[in-house]
Amino acid sequence: MTFHLHTMSKSIEAVHGASFLEELNTKWNDHTKALQMILDILMYMDRTFIPSTHKTAVHELRLNLWGDNVIHSSKIQPRLLNTLLDLILRERTGEVINRGLMRNIIKMLMDLGPSVYQEDFEKPFLEVSAEFYRAESLEFIECSDCGDYLKKAERRLNEGIERVSHYLDAKTEVKITNAVEKEMIANHMPRLVHMENSGLVKMLLDDKFEDLARIYNLFRRVPDGLSTIRDVMTSHIRDTGKQLVIDPEKSKNPVEFVDTLLEKRDKYDRIISLAFSNDKTFQMP
């Protein structure tokens, strides 16, 4: 068995370019089918003899042998990781990749055990992803207004969730979304809300309900996100009220003054209702 796996490993190592993953997937499928036939033959022994002697089950043994002799081969392991990460980077930059093949390879790693998936792929994937989102956020925030930046962050968040649904372990979803939230949202909240001519105050003044809903839905995902919105909004409302009070023209007509105050209250009630989902964080007395 070990000799056979060494032969398979050499065959995989010899393949260059895009066919590397395809060859690995083919050999894994061949190995799985062959071992299933052996397992069928040894089914009785696997159920009776092995448990009583505390030996390794045939199914577990074939996974261990594949991992030791193929996946953890010094020439395959780093190449496999780099290939997977490169394909994900290509997908992030707009290229269409073979998601079915990615799903098969990732599932193979998952079948080899949680530690194999996590150490051989998930951990470096999350590290590289955090670096990617960090660099992209720093670049994009310099050339975008608040609304466009939020759309970019929302798109990256949705792409990460979609990627998990197509070919990653479901448990990876919360980890990759945390990376997007930290690098693209949490680290830039003060700058985003205070962006000149496009930040939160501008959104409030111009009744940009779509942008307001987006900033609410993104900021609510991170610590202190809603309080950041609330503090800026509260300050803006207070400033607006002060300007009305000290406006000599408004004070000449009490009815107009009261009507203006009621209009402002209705305006922010609509924003809280339509954009902020009636969140009690923003309820005004």
Side-chain angles (χ1 to χ4, degrees):
M1 175 64 72
T2 301
F3 176 78
H4 176 65
L5 288 173
H6 276 306
T7 303
M8 277 191 165
S9 180
K10 295 297 182 183
S11 173
I12 296 167
E13 292 171 9
V15 176
H16 299 285
S19 299
F20 169 68
L21 288 187
E22 294 176 1
E23 180 69 10
L24 177 59
N25 186 50
T26 298
K27 290 296 188 283
W28 166 247
N29 289 334
D30 292 345
H31 176 68
T32 300
K33 291 175 183 176
L35 265 294
Q36 185 58 52
M37 293 175 63
I38 295 174
L39 185 60
D40 291 342
I41 296 171
L42 301 178
M43 186 181 301
Y44 178 76
M45 182 187 74
D46 208 35
R47 290 179 178 176
T48 57
F49 174 74
I50 288 178
S52 65
T53 57
H54 305 290
K55 300 292 185 180
T56 304
V58 175
H59 174 72
E60 184 179 348
L61 181 61
R62 66 109 176 176
L63 294 177
N64 293 342
L65 287 171
W66 178 264
D68 293 342
N69 293 281
V70 179
I71 297 305
H72 291 148
S73 159
S74 61
K75 293 184 179 180
I76 291 179
Q77 186 176 20
R79 188 177 171 192
L80 174 58
L81 175 61
N82 291 335
T83 301
L84 293 174
L85 295 180
D86 179 63
L87 285 170
I88 292 173
L89 176 60
R90 291 184 185 183
E91 187 176 52
R92 282 182 174 140
T93 54
E95 188 173 327
V96 176
I97 66 171
N98 187 339
R99 284 180 164 180
L101 181 59
M102 287 286 286
R103 181 171 58 250
N104 291 341
I105 297 298
I106 294 296
K107 186 178 184 304
M108 175 194 68
L109 295 177
M110 292 165 59
D111 287 345
L112 295 177
S115 63
V116 174
Y117 172 79
Q118 291 164 8
E119 294 300 321
D120 286 23
F121 171 74
E122 186 186 57
K123 185 177 179 181
F125 162 69
L126 293 172
E127 291 173 352
V128 168
S129 296
E131 292 173 5
F132 174 85
Y133 295 131
R134 186 181 307 122
E136 184 176 66
S137 68
L138 291 172
E139 178 182 355
F140 201 65
I141 203 168
E142 294 297 333
C143 60
S144 306
D145 64 20
C146 184
D148 286 341
Y149 181 92
L150 293 172
K151 290 177 184 176
K152 181 81 165 183
E154 182 182 59
R155 185 162 61 250
R156 287 304 188 197
L157 189 64
N158 291 336
E159 286 172 356
I161 295 171
E162 181 188 16
R163 187 168 291 113
V164 171
S165 71
H166 280 286
Y167 55 79
L168 300 180
D169 184 0
K171 295 185 182 68
T172 303
E173 180 175 323
V174 66
K175 301 173 186 178
I176 193 62
T177 53
N178 284 345
V180 179
E181 290 163 0
K182 177 185 176 183
E183 302 299 340
M184 300 200 75
I185 304 170
N187 288 350
H188 301 289
M189 286 193 298
R191 182 167 180 180
L192 288 169
V193 295
H194 293 296
M195 271 190 173
E196 189 175 359
N197 298 323
S198 69
L200 181 58
V201 170
K202 182 65 173 176
M203 294 177 188
L204 294 170
L205 289 172
D206 294 348
D207 293 334
K208 292 192 173 183
F209 287 94
E210 185 177 333
D211 286 342
L212 288 166
R214 184 171 290 110
I215 198 171
Y216 167 76
N217 286 321
L218 290 175
F219 277 39
R220 70 197 289 259
R221 303 179 69 97
V222 301
D224 301 322
L226 292 185
S227 62
T228 299
I229 296 176
R230 183 194 60 213
D231 292 347
V232 174
M233 184 175 178
T234 301
S235 177
H236 167 66
I237 292 173
R238 286 174 179 166
D239 289 344
T240 301
K242 288 179 183 178
Q243 291 171 9
L244 287 173
V245 170
I246 64 176
D247 186 343
E249 294 300 320
K250 297 292 183 183
S251 61
K252 292 178 182 178
N253 190 333
V255 175
E256 182 182 349
F257 176 73
V258 172
D259 286 344
T260 302
L261 285 177
L262 291 175
E263 287 176 5
K264 294 295 182 183
R265 183 180 180 99
D266 289 344
K267 169 190 174 77
Y268 294 112
D269 281 345
R270 285 198 308 275
I271 289 173
I272 292 169
S273 174
L274 299 176
F276 296 166
S277 300
N278 263 328
D279 195 313
K280 289 182 170 53
T281 303
F282 305 99
Q283 295 295 333
M284 294 182 290

